[in-house]
């Protein structure tokens, strides 16, 4: 069996779950917290940074970007980064946008403060970080909505890993109820399409003890 | 002409410079500061995060990971990520190690504090961050040295983008004189091999006004 070591509500883990779902690859999940990786885990991933994928033959594939690229190269149907060199660069530009810029400006400030810090048993959320996250998200939703309207999917006419990565981050921020969907109808329409995908639906049933998602979380009408 | 928008001593910009050098692609450089991207730059890279590559036909390729993958796909000789799926995952695991873990634990704390903060005209370096960076670098040099001894190059017998990315970060930290090479002879031997490559030598002549590199910086005997 293929095994994914993951952390709940972690956008990088969610990205791999959606990719595995799109490619219809069965897997089991084992929780591994990035802030306290176990010694046994470190033998498989010396960086100590889940997600980690362990293939059925026991080979560990570490690093979220490496896992995503590996899955697209090893299991091509459907191809999620595309075939042509320049469109592939556009998919990866948007992957970098969400895993880099959006993560730094939004996910870390909101999900990091409200979910990870709490799980670590640490201090209360930093209100300055939360204000920064809430203030940054609007411009991202505006940009995402504009792309989705011009192109149908974020990187072009075809669904791609750019949509998956954006959804991984936005579904994590939506878990803490911090996405102002009603102010950004084009982004909301794109997210409604993402929510209805069989690869995404399992994520919407996640519920952490003591940190439940908002009532609308799994609803297709939100 | 191919144009690289870059920031001095930025490891992500240096990575692209080395890749372009390995592939013998001529390019000109334009400085763009990530902390204050100009409006004209934002038209080419809405994320405002150099490096950015503009191809001879005017097409912008943004995001350092997207640029690196693009160059390897578009200009295959020499191939820097390899051909086989699982070895490619190992190259990318180590790219993630240095662009992620090493950057967070070392580069940001040392180069960020001593070079970028100063260029931004901001406050003096945070001594706590510098202590954290100096305390973290040893484990990385130990790991890098072990890989280089077991495998010849970091990801295997062949030189790869993993070596380039590690060199981009270590050459940035060496610019501020914070790499304790003498304590890590295997890492030092690997870096001596990197320093002698024609793709790396141009980086070793960089000198920022007011923030010069240490005297040994470009020496092959260091």
């Amino acid at each position: 069996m293929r095994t994914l070591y993951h952390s709940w509500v972690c956008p990088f883990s969610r990205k791999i779950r959606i990719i595995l779902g799109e490619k219809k690859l069965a897997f089991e999940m084992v929780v591994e917290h990035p802030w306290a990786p176990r010694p046994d885990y470190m033998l498989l991933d010396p960086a100590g940074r889940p997600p980690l994928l362990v293939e059925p033959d026991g080979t560990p594939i570490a690093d979220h970007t490496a896992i995503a690229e590996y899955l697209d190269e090893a299991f091509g149907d459907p191809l999620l980064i595309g075939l042509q060199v320049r469109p592939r660069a556009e998919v990866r530009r948007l992957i970098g946008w969400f895993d880099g810029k959006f993560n730094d400006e939004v996910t870390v400030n909101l999900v990091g403060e409200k979910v990870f810090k709490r799980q670590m048993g640490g201090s209360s959320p930093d209100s300055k970080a939360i204000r920064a996250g809430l203030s940054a998200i609007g411009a991202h939703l505006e940009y995402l909505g504009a792309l989705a309207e011009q192109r149908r999917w974020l990187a072009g006419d075809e669904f791609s890993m750019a949509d998956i990565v954006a959804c991984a981050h936005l579904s994590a921020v939506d878990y803490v109820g911090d996405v102002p969907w009603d102010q950004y109808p084009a982004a909301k329409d794109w997210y409604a399409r993402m929510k209805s995908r069989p690869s995404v639906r399992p994520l919407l049933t996640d519920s952490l003890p003591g940190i439940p998602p908002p009532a609308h979380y799994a609803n297709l009408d939100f």
Side-chain angles (χ1 to χ4, degrees), chain A:
Chain A
M1 180 56 114
R2 186 168 275 115
T3 303
L4 179 68
Y5 290 79
H6 82 120
S7 183
W8 296 112
V9 200
C10 160
F12 304 102
S13 299
R14 287 186 156 217
K15 163 169 85 171
I16 306 304
R17 288 168 69 188
I18 302 173
I19 295 169
L20 289 165
E22 289 289 332
K23 295 188 181 281
K24 299 190 171 52
L25 296 169
F27 61 104
E28 56 181 18
M29 297 199 292
V30 174
V31 170
E32 191 70 45
H33 293 306
W35 53 88
R38 293 164 301 160
D40 281 2
Y41 177 83
M42 298 291 288
L43 296 176
L44 298 170
D45 172 19
R49 293 194 161 196
L52 170 76
L53 185 69
V54 178
E55 285 291 74
D57 69 359
T59 306
I61 312 284
D63 181 79
H64 66 90
T65 301
I67 300 168
E69 294 275 351
Y70 165 77
L71 288 171
D72 214 40
E73 292 178 355
F75 306 97
D77 184 22
L79 269 182
L80 297 170
I81 310 184
L83 269 174
Q84 304 297 319
V85 170
R86 291 203 176 173
R88 284 166 68 82
E90 176 64 358
V91 172
R92 291 195 183 103
R93 175 182 79 85
L94 291 167
I95 291 173
W97 183 294
F98 286 96
D99 275 347
K101 185 179 173 72
F102 187 94
N103 185 61
D104 294 348
E105 297 176 358
V106 180
T107 315
V108 167
N109 283 325
L110 299 174
V111 182
E113 291 296 323
K114 296 184 180 184
V115 177
F116 301 139
K117 203 186 248 186
R118 185 147 165 200
Q119 284 185 285
M120 290 161 73
S123 44
S124 53
D126 176 351
S127 59
K128 196 175 151 199
I130 289 175
R131 276 197 305 276
L134 294 174
S135 138
I137 196 170
H140 287 280
L141 292 168
E142 190 79 39
Y143 186 59
L144 186 157
L147 291 175
E149 280 196 317
Q150 290 159 21
R151 299 173 160 185
R152 177 160 169 81
W153 295 103
L154 297 188
D157 289 340
E158 302 293 328
F159 174 80
S160 80
M161 205 179 284
D163 298 284
I164 291 173
V165 174
C167 182
H169 284 271
L170 278 159
S171 71
V173 179
D174 200 37
Y175 188 95
V176 294
D178 282 342
V179 185
W181 293 116
D182 287 339
Q183 294 172 48
Y184 300 92
K188 184 177 180 176
D189 170 75
W190 167 86
Y191 191 56
R193 286 187 275 142
M194 290 302 300
K195 277 179 122 171
S196 70
R197 294 184 82 88
S199 65
V200 175
R201 296 204 57 73
L203 280 66
L204 306 178
T205 64
D206 288 357
S207 187
L208 269 170
I211 319 175
H216 74 270
Y217 191 58
N219 293 358
L220 295 183
D221 183 17
F222 56 104

